[in-house]
Amino acid sequence: MVGAQRVYDWCFGEGVPMSVVSRFAVPLLPMQLARSFAERTNSDVLKYLADAQFLGLEGLWQKVCEGKLPARCNKQWFMETFCGISAFEFHLRGFQNLFIANIREKLNGNVKPYDVIALMCALPTTRSFFA
């Protein structure tokens, strides 16, 4: 929190315009949505965003397995959030013992599209939606 406070203090002091979005303001969306849009539209930008989403989650899984995240961000949290696997199924299938495997094949949960919201806050044509 000290680091965040310093950043905010500096930005406010220097007059840096900011758009701050609460995690509660970003909706949960099925993660396959980005991939389905990319496939249907044949858009290079959407393909890039879908791939980036999956690569980011693979990296997050690795950090979970290595214990590099806060305690609440454990394997069960990851599986429930990003793989759509219930707590019961998580324990039944022994996923607590799963280490860095090919997690991409299990990714089928929900994501919050923070990057999309951040981009919309930065673009002149959509910035006013958040004012």
Side-chain angles (χ1 to χ4, degrees), residues 24-44:
F24 299 111
V26 181
L28 271 178
L29 297 176
M31 68 177 27
Q32 297 301 333
L33 191 62
R35 175 158 285 156
S36 68
F37 281 148
E39 290 171 357
R40 286 185 299 170
T41 62
N42 202 26
S43 165
D44 290 336

Side-chain angles (χ1 to χ4, degrees), residues 50-96:
D51 287 341
Q53 171 183 277
F54 282 90
L55 286 171
L57 290 172
E58 288 172 344
L60 182 63
W61 172 250
Q62 184 171 348
K63 288 182 191 287
V64 166
C65 290
E66 294 170 350
K68 293 184 176 180
L69 298 175
R72 67 179 171 77
C73 301
N74 57 26
K75 291 177 184 179
Q76 183 176 334
W77 162 80
F78 186 95
M79 290 288 191
E80 288 178 3
T81 305
F82 303 113
C83 302
I85 294 173
S86 70
F88 176 77
E89 185 179 0
F90 175 83
H91 291 291
L92 182 69
R93 296 178 65 185
F95 285 137
Q96 65 270 18

Side-chain angles (χ1 to χ4, degrees), residues 80-114:
E80 288 178 3
T81 305
F82 303 113
C83 302
I85 294 173
S86 70
F88 176 77
E89 185 179 0
F90 175 83
H91 291 291
L92 182 69
R93 296 178 65 185
F95 285 137
Q96 65 270 18
N97 300 321
L98 186 62
F99 196 61
I100 302 172
N102 184 6
I103 197 66
R104 186 177 285 226
E105 63 194 31
K106 293 184 179 16
L107 294 174
N108 194 30
N110 295 298
V111 293
K112 290 189 169 205
Y114 295 104

